[in-house]
Amino acid sequence: MRIRKQSLGDRNIVGARIEQRRKDIGLKQKDLLTQLQINGVDLNASGLSKLEGQLRYVSDFELVAIAKVLNVSINWLVGLED
């Protein structure tokens, strides 16, 4: 497992939760990217890495697809639910 070289950014609040959930369910980044593409979100590895590192903004349609793929609510992703 690679260690993040950059500190977390401040461009989203969902990135850390996306990474946490992805790892909790044993999903690799490339597998998440595949599932997102199936759900109509065209994101590359660099974009996902920046999103998880909170260095990139997330769009609403990306947020919906990510919640669906990770089987969590949008409220959980944004920290409104435990």
Side-chain angles (χ1 to χ4, degrees):
M1 178 170 45
R2 293 172 50 181
I3 304 296
R4 176 174 283 108
K5 293 179 183 176
Q6 291 182 308
S7 59
L8 291 175
D10 60 359
R11 300 226 169 136
N12 71 56
I13 58 175
V14 300
R17 289 241 172 166
I18 292 169
E19 182 178 24
Q20 173 192 342
R21 176 64 177 165
R22 179 180 61 77
K23 289 179 177 180
D24 285 349
I25 62 175
L27 202 60
K28 294 182 179 182
Q29 278 189 337
K30 66 179 182 175
D31 299 324
L32 176 55
L33 289 170
T34 300
Q35 290 300 312
L36 289 174
Q37 287 179 341
I38 290 169
N39 283 277
V41 174
D42 189 23
L43 188 62
N44 61 27
S46 175
L48 178 57
S49 181
K50 288 177 182 177
L51 196 153
E52 287 185 349
Q54 297 171 299
L55 300 170
R56 173 189 180 279
Y57 294 109
V58 61
S59 70
D60 53 358
F61 68 90
E62 290 171 333
L63 193 61
V64 170
I66 290 166
K68 180 179 177 183
V69 170
L70 295 178
N71 197 30
V72 295
S73 70
I74 292 172
N75 282 343
W76 183 85
L77 284 174
V78 298
L80 297 176
E81 294 176 357
D82 291 331

